[in-house]
Amino acid sequence: MEKEIPKTYTASDWEEQLYAKWEESGFFNPDTCIEKGVTEKDAPPFSIVLPPPNVTGTLHTGSACMLAIEDLIVRYHRMKGDRTLWIPGTDHSAIATQAKVERLLLEEEGKTRHDFSREAFLERVQKFAADNQERILYQVRKLGASVDWSRLAFTLDEKRALAVRTAFKKMYEDGIIYRGERIVNWDPKLQTTVSDDEVDHREEHSPLYYLQYGPFVISTARPETKFGDKYVVVHPADERYQAYTDGQQIKLEWINGPVTATVIKDEVIDPTFGTGAMTITPWHDATDFDIATRHHLDWEPIISEAGLLLPVAGEFAGMPISEAREKIVRKLETKGLLVKTDDTYLHNIAINSRGGGIIEPQIKKQWWISVNKEFEREGKIVTLKSLMQQAVHSKEITIIPERFEKTYFHWIDNLRDWCISRQIWYGHRIPVWYRGEETYCGIEAPAGDGWEQDPDTLDTWFSSGLWTFSTLGWPAHSQASVAGRPGPENDFANYHPTTLIESGYDILFFWMARMILMTEYFFGKAPFKTIYLHGLVRDEDGRKMSKSLDNIIDPLDVIAKHGTDALRLALVLGSTPGNDLRLSDEKITAMRNLVNKLWNIGRYISQQETDSGEQEKTKSDADYWILSRLQNTTSEVTRLLENYQLSLAAETLRDFTWNQFADWYVEVHKVEKNDTVLHHVFITLLKLWHPFMPFVTEALWETFGHQTKNLLMVERWPTDQDSKIHSSFQIVIGLIQDIRSIKAFYRIDPVTKLNLTVHKNSQKMIQNCAVLFKHLARIENIHFSEEIPLHTVLAQSETLQVFIELDGVIDFATEKKRLEKEITTKEKYIASLETKLSNQNFLERAKPDIIAAEKEKLSDVQEQIKNFTKHLASLSS
């Protein structure tokens, strides 16, 4: 070794300088890896795009989890020698970003966006986004993400803007994008439409009012929407309303006077809800809109886009809903139209997840993507919906975990046309211009005077849906892209479709499904081969992290206290695809201890003889054993990583590092020194651990004198070398463990040295490792004899048997009494368990898992009695 490793590992002393070395090396860029010879030009590609964080704030633990998982996978493939590309980027997140800036303007300056020109306001938003982007990219670096910074993308930059306009134009010309009046989720607070997937639902107890509507009784939680109701809908098979015919008209008294109502029969009505009769407000309810569309009914607005009642509400016109509702109910009561009120009703309130405003559905002329429009593809008639279904049905895309396929299909099967226009200023402006009756859609503005561009912007997810190919050069470079030739201009041919997309399961529909829609439409193929879904990161009690609960864990705070590697390990170990992860300071501390353990092992090895690079001619049985364990570990970790079983891979490595290498072989080395094997195993371990904890492994690699060679991050991943390594040392380990267990059973001080008698059948194996065995098992003397002395207890591992001499070590009388008492106590416990398990009433009422647990208890106690009885016999002999 060139220098001794410092006594302690302080992450802050290493992480910033190591990341700077990685970045300066250029090895994050696959073209540089090829140029410098660390990756073959014709190596298999591995590509992934970073789910772009929103430029509205800072990264949270969910983002840290995403980065830890993706960087682990990317570093593994880079070390495998794959042409590995990981493209970073950020998302302009139009609604959320504009809402944040508008809130800041109001709080700090008392202004709204309407106090500015559109251009001046957008300058404010763009500065806010740029500042936040810098903060986010700093955090990405702090987490050790080995992304290719030379290919950094932003969903609103010029290259992505060209992709958006190109995509919109083609879809518009093909009739997939259209403009039409349909019901939308309208946010009066932000004055924009919101997609179905961005609407959260909050349950609230609110009164359910039963109202007399002519001969019918209807129920509603929203009497403010009922002014224009002139249709009453019932189920065709509802016997209560068989006297009424479809289309029948009935005159009745309503809120502001007499109306003529029409009876409509439709199977969508649930006869068991309320009275089975309902009036409809097509302008303000999606279900009602569908009914009205099917039956070609009229509709009119009741609530304005500002959330105020319109003139149709008569005396209540101009009132906000919250103020008008109680007054409307009082008027209904005065007119004798209020039948009763149910105060136990649980009502779902629709909330804009991006801005917090209450959704008030409206019918508006918007831009849409048709998911059911038929078109021809390779001689077959398809729709966007069918292409999205087929991509997963055919296994062109694999979803991990598989159970999310059902969730995916359920969402696709119920997919409606996608409203892609937003009434905000920030974002990609719709590339459509109007002049009188003329409409022009193009990548650039039309020539000539008098053209006005559509004021709306596109849904953020439209640009995000192009992410896997817009980041790879489409449309500018895609046509001329050449497979096998390095360089960003050839990225599309080299890396699309991407290999993997990884993100939280909560974004499957927001983003991944839309990427499938876009890529299948434009290229007739899936955007990626595998979807890996991680769970949400929760606190130690399983609660969602939030400011109100004061349980938010800031990744940068954790890094400052424990180091990046500890945080990354805490987010990977124990994490399985699709399942939520609990994160606690205790878990992070345990992972920091694992990082320190690796450092301390390295420090011990650094103090040994310098590695000569030559294998010793002879190795001990322990050497063969650790090499065989290393071989098995390498093979298993590789297999698990290939199958994206990341936590199991880390657990396998931890078990080998801590339990086999540190606890056993390092102790063996103190007796039987083989520096070459010790060094070889540790260097291999650094390579295996590098994707999981890159900083401490690179620091150890550098300190071991490898800084004159390649960085560890581009060292070749270890492979199996000798499949014929065998060793009997595991049997010796088993024997030592049994001896330690016996010491614990008899409460013998672990440092006490014992005397053993070894039968001749085990003599040869013990003699072969006598010095090492005596050191590890803390043995004073070993006697080889065919006769077994009195007062001994058997310790064994497979066929290897020794007898521990207990004379002078324990008090026989005291131990006999203790064992007899233990046996008596446990026999009573067994009797109680057997009585319980023979009770027919218990067996019939208890759940299967409770019964199984009781049977397991019984089995465990029976085994304990056998053990106590065996030891009691030894003491009595």
Side-chain angles (χ1 to χ4, degrees):
M1 317 300 167
E2 293 197 357
K3 57 183 178 181
E4 184 178 338
I5 294 178
K7 188 173 182 179
T8 58
Y9 173 69
T10 305
S12 58
D13 292 344
W14 291 92
E15 292 182 352
E16 188 172 336
Q17 59 166 305
L18 286 175
Y19 195 88
K21 283 185 179 181
W22 290 334
E23 197 170 346
E24 290 165 9
S25 73
F27 288 139
F28 291 170
N29 185 329
D31 302 330
T32 303
C33 291
I34 293 171
E35 179 186 321
K36 294 187 177 181
V38 298
T39 301
E40 297 294 330
K41 185 178 179 181
D42 59 352
F46 179 88
S47 56
I48 180 173
V49 291
L50 177 71
N54 297 340
V55 290
T56 51
T58 57
L59 298 184
H60 47 73
T61 49
S63 307
C65 181
M66 172 187 72
L67 287 164
I69 289 172
E70 291 182 23
D71 190 55
L72 189 169
I73 295 168
V74 164
R75 286 180 184 270
Y76 163 68
H77 280 277
R78 188 183 292 119
M79 293 178 77
K80 267 184 67 183
D82 294 342
R83 284 184 292 120
T84 305
L85 176 63
W86 186 15
I87 296 181
T90 54
D91 192 338
H92 66 288
S93 188
I95 291 180
T97 303
Q98 177 164 318
K100 188 78 173 281
V101 173
E102 289 196 66
R103 186 166 66 249
L104 290 173
L105 277 175
L106 190 62
E107 292 173 356
E108 297 172 3
E109 302 178 33
K111 295 180 179 179
T112 72
R113 63 169 153 147
H114 300 290
D115 293 315
F116 302 83
S117 67
R118 183 166 183 156
E119 291 72 22
F121 175 75
L122 287 178
E123 285 182 10
R124 293 282 194 115
V125 182
Q126 286 158 359
K127 184 181 185 307
F128 172 84
D131 291 344
N132 269 20
Q133 184 185 48
E134 284 302 311
R135 188 179 301 113
I136 289 168
L137 299 184
Y138 167 76
Q139 292 174 304
V140 171
R141 286 178 166 91
K142 288 292 289 182
L143 283 155
S146 56
V147 295
D148 183 357
W149 292 110
S150 71
R151 288 170 165 90
L152 177 65
F154 178 49
T155 54
L156 200 58
D157 63 23
E158 282 303 317
K159 290 181 180 178
R160 263 42 67 180
L162 175 61
V164 165
R165 295 194 300 270
T166 304
F168 188 99
K169 182 175 184 293
K170 176 171 173 50
M171 298 179 86
Y172 174 78
E173 291 175 346
D174 290 349
I176 297 298
I177 286 180
Y178 68 94
R179 195 176 186 217
E181 283 193 336
R182 296 174 62 90
I183 194 161
V184 296
N185 301 305
W186 179 256
D187 182 350
K189 179 182 175 184
L190 290 182
Q191 289 289 289
T192 182
T193 57
V194 179
S195 72
D196 291 343
D197 300 315
E198 292 173 312
V199 175
D200 290 338
H201 290 89
R202 184 178 69 212
E203 287 189 337
E204 287 184 0
H205 281 285
S206 59
L208 183 66
Y209 304 101
Y210 287 80
L211 309 177
Q212 194 70 48
Y213 191 76
F216 302 92
V217 174
I218 64 165
S219 59
T220 182
R222 304 200 59 196
E224 67 274 6
T225 66
K226 295 297 162 185
F227 291 97
D229 287 5
K230 53 185 178 182
Y231 301 103
V232 60
V233 189
V234 295
H235 195 281
D238 194 329
E239 294 182 357
R240 292 170 294 181
Y241 306 112
Q242 290 301 308
Y244 301 95
T245 59
D246 186 53
Q248 179 179 347
Q249 292 190 328
I250 301 171
K251 292 185 178 181
L252 54 89
E253 182 65 23
W254 196 221
I255 308 173
N256 286 333
V259 297
T260 299
T262 303
V263 176
I264 302 295
K265 297 205 170 185
D266 195 296
E267 292 183 353
V268 76
I269 299 301
D270 179 6
T272 65
F273 179 77
T275 63
M278 59 177 272
T279 56
I280 60 171
T281 311
W283 201 281
H284 301 293
D285 184 273
T287 301
D288 294 1
F289 176 80
D290 288 344
I291 294 172
T293 302
R294 276 197 301 277
H295 295 274
H296 307 289
L297 309 180
D298 297 331
W299 51 59
E300 65 177 319
I302 310 299
I303 302 168
S304 74
E305 292 179 4
L308 305 177
L309 290 172
L310 291 169
V312 69
E315 66 200 81
F316 305 103
M319 289 187 186
I321 295 166
S322 57
E323 178 186 337
R325 183 175 296 168
E326 187 178 341
K327 294 177 180 179
I328 295 168
V329 171
R330 282 205 301 268
K331 182 173 183 180
L332 286 163
E333 187 175 17
T334 301
K335 295 188 70 171
L337 299 177
L338 179 64
V339 177
K340 65 176 181 177
T341 302
D342 179 2
D343 292 320
T344 65
Y345 180 62
L346 199 59
H347 186 46
N348 266 327
I349 308 295
I351 306 292
N352 178 5
S353 64
R354 299 299 184 186
I358 295 176
I359 296 298
E360 288 292 344
Q362 296 277 358
I363 294 176
K364 292 182 65 66
K365 197 170 189 178
Q366 297 290 299
W367 288 96
W368 305 82
I369 288 180
S370 173
V371 297
N372 292 307
K373 180 180 175 60
E374 295 181 340
F375 57 95
E376 188 174 338
R377 173 66 57 80
E378 296 180 353
K380 295 180 181 179
I381 300 300
V382 298
T383 64
L384 288 179
K385 183 184 286 191
S386 70
L387 289 176
M388 296 170 79
Q389 292 165 329
Q390 182 61 20
V392 176
H393 269 308
S394 66
K395 298 301 180 182
E396 185 183 7
I397 296 175
T398 300
I399 299 179
I400 302 173
E402 188 178 3
R403 70 176 186 273
F404 277 91
E405 285 188 7
K406 291 182 180 178
T407 312
Y408 175 84
F409 287 128
H410 177 75
W411 187 81
I412 300 297
D413 292 344
N414 293 281
L415 188 62
R416 293 170 175 258
D417 285 1
W418 172 15
C419 178
I420 57 173
S421 48
R422 300 289 179 266
Q423 289 65 53
I424 59 174
W425 291 351
Y426 186 57
H428 292 279
R429 196 161 173 181
I430 289 176
V432 174
W433 288 260
Y434 310 101
R435 185 171 64 181
E437 297 298 317
E438 293 181 86
T439 299
Y440 173 83
C441 176
I443 297 173
E444 302 296 338
D449 298 328
W451 291 100
E452 289 189 10
Q453 188 173 1
D454 194 302
D456 288 355
T457 55
L458 282 164
D459 179 13
T460 296
W461 300 105
F462 187 94
S463 54
S464 298
L466 312 176
W467 193 240
T468 59
F469 54 92
S470 68
T471 54
L472 292 175
W474 187 87
H477 294 140
S478 62
Q479 299 303 317
S481 191
V482 180
R485 185 178 298 171
E489 67 277 8
N490 298 301
D491 281 351
F492 188 84
N494 283 331
Y495 299 110
H496 198 272
T498 56
T499 313
L500 174 74
I501 194 70
E502 189 282 332
S503 192
Y505 61 70
D506 57 331
I507 210 168
L508 177 62
F509 313 126
F510 282 115
W511 185 42
M512 297 179 190
R514 287 180 168 86
M515 286 193 285
I516 295 171
L517 181 154
M518 291 294 199
T519 314
E520 286 285 355
Y521 178 70
F522 284 105
F523 308 109
K525 60 179 70 174
F528 27 70
K529 299 169 186 174
T530 302
I531 295 174
Y532 180 104
L533 301 171
H534 68 254
L536 303 179
V537 181
R538 299 182 178 273
D539 70 8
E540 58 187 323
D541 297 318
R543 300 175 301 175
K544 189 174 181 179
M545 294 187 189
S546 67
K547 290 182 180 178
S548 62
L549 293 174
D550 193 28
N551 65 344
I552 293 176
I553 298 175
D554 187 328
L556 293 188
D557 290 343
V558 175
I559 289 171
K561 183 178 180 180
H562 298 287
T564 302
D565 291 328
L567 174 61
R568 288 171 56 130
L569 282 172
L571 292 168
V572 171
L573 262 166
S575 172
T576 53
N579 293 324
D580 292 349
L581 172 73
R582 296 190 181 194
L583 187 64
S584 65
D585 192 64
E586 182 182 4
K587 183 179 183 183
I588 297 168
T589 301
M591 296 304 103
R592 183 197 63 195
N593 293 342
L594 180 55
V595 172
N596 290 340
K597 184 73 171 180
L598 190 67
W599 184 265
N600 291 334
I601 296 170
R603 187 165 183 272
Y604 168 78
I605 296 171
S606 73
Q607 295 166 349
Q608 310 310 309
E609 293 295 325
T610 301
D611 174 37
S612 64
E614 297 179 0
Q615 295 281 332
E616 291 190 8
K617 292 182 180 179
T618 58
K619 298 185 183 72
S620 70
D621 205 34
D623 292 335
Y624 283 114
W625 171 77
I626 196 64
L627 290 173
S628 70
R629 296 298 92 199
L630 177 65
Q631 173 187 295
N632 291 343
T633 299
T634 299
S635 177
E636 182 65 2
V637 169
T638 302
R639 183 188 70 79
L640 292 169
L641 289 179
E642 286 292 327
N643 289 285
Y644 298 108
Q645 294 177 280
L646 311 180
S647 178
L648 286 175
E651 289 164 21
T652 300
L653 263 179
R654 178 175 60 178
D655 179 64
F656 175 82
T657 304
W658 202 301
N659 299 330
Q660 297 175 30
F661 186 55
D663 285 357
W664 288 103
Y665 188 74
V666 171
E667 292 303 310
V668 167
H669 180 269
K670 294 173 182 178
V671 180
E672 298 178 352
K673 289 186 178 291
N674 188 331
D675 292 340
T676 302
V677 172
L678 182 75
H679 183 272
H680 168 72
V681 174
F682 187 67
I683 291 302
T684 304
L685 263 183
L686 291 182
K687 295 176 182 178
L688 294 173
W689 269 120
H690 180 72
F692 298 90
M693 39 181 174
F695 287 107
V696 70
T697 52
E698 191 76 75
L700 285 164
W701 183 262
E702 178 179 308
T703 311
F704 264 60
H706 293 277
Q707 66 270 33
T708 57
K709 304 177 185 179
N710 280 330
L711 291 164
L712 176 57
M713 66 171 287
V714 289
E715 280 292 308
R716 190 61 76 237
W717 184 257
T719 56
D720 295 343
Q721 295 178 346
D722 185 356
S723 60
K724 297 180 180 179
I725 296 177
H726 296 288
S727 173
S728 59
F729 187 66
Q730 186 64 49
I731 300 175
V732 177
I733 288 176
L735 179 62
I736 295 169
Q737 289 173 328
D738 199 32
I739 291 171
R740 291 174 179 174
S741 295
I742 290 170
K743 272 188 171 183
F745 181 85
Y746 286 109
R747 303 174 185 177
I748 301 169
D749 191 327
V751 302
T752 300
K753 291 191 174 183
L754 301 173
N755 295 320
L756 297 183
T757 295
V758 179
H759 193 273
K760 66 177 184 178
N761 293 338
S762 300
Q763 181 173 342
K764 184 176 180 181
M765 188 177 293
I766 294 295
Q767 284 179 328
N768 286 343
C769 60
V771 175
L772 179 62
F773 176 71
K774 289 173 73 173
H775 171 75
L776 295 177
R778 291 193 175 273
I779 303 301
E780 185 71 39
N781 297 302
I782 299 176
H783 305 104
F784 298 99
S785 173
E786 294 187 17
E787 295 183 4
I788 308 303
L790 296 175
H791 302 150
T792 61
V793 63
L794 173 66
Q796 63 181 2
S797 175
E798 297 186 23
T799 59
L800 187 59
Q801 295 182 330
V802 301
F803 295 87
I804 301 174
E805 299 172 13
L806 298 178
D807 273 332
V809 179
I810 65 171
D811 184 316
F812 282 80
T814 301
E815 281 300 312
K816 282 182 181 180
K817 286 182 180 179
R818 180 177 75 87
L819 293 177
E820 288 168 351
K821 183 178 179 181
E822 289 279 7
I823 290 170
T824 301
T825 301
K826 294 192 181 300
E827 284 176 341
K828 290 179 181 178
Y829 186 45
I830 285 176
S832 68
L833 288 172
E834 288 176 336
T835 300
K836 190 174 188 178
L837 289 168
S838 63
N839 186 323
Q840 197 61 34
N841 189 40
F842 168 75
L843 295 175
E844 290 175 356
R845 292 190 172 191
K847 294 180 179 178
D849 58 330
I850 299 295
I851 297 172
E854 293 299 304
K855 288 181 178 179
E856 187 175 349
K857 288 179 188 177
L858 178 60
S859 178
D860 289 344
V861 179
Q862 288 171 336
E863 282 300 314
Q864 290 172 20
I865 283 191
K866 287 181 183 178
N867 190 36
F868 286 133
T869 303
K870 180 189 74 173
H871 283 287
L872 184 60
S874 297
L875 296 179
S876 303
S877 60

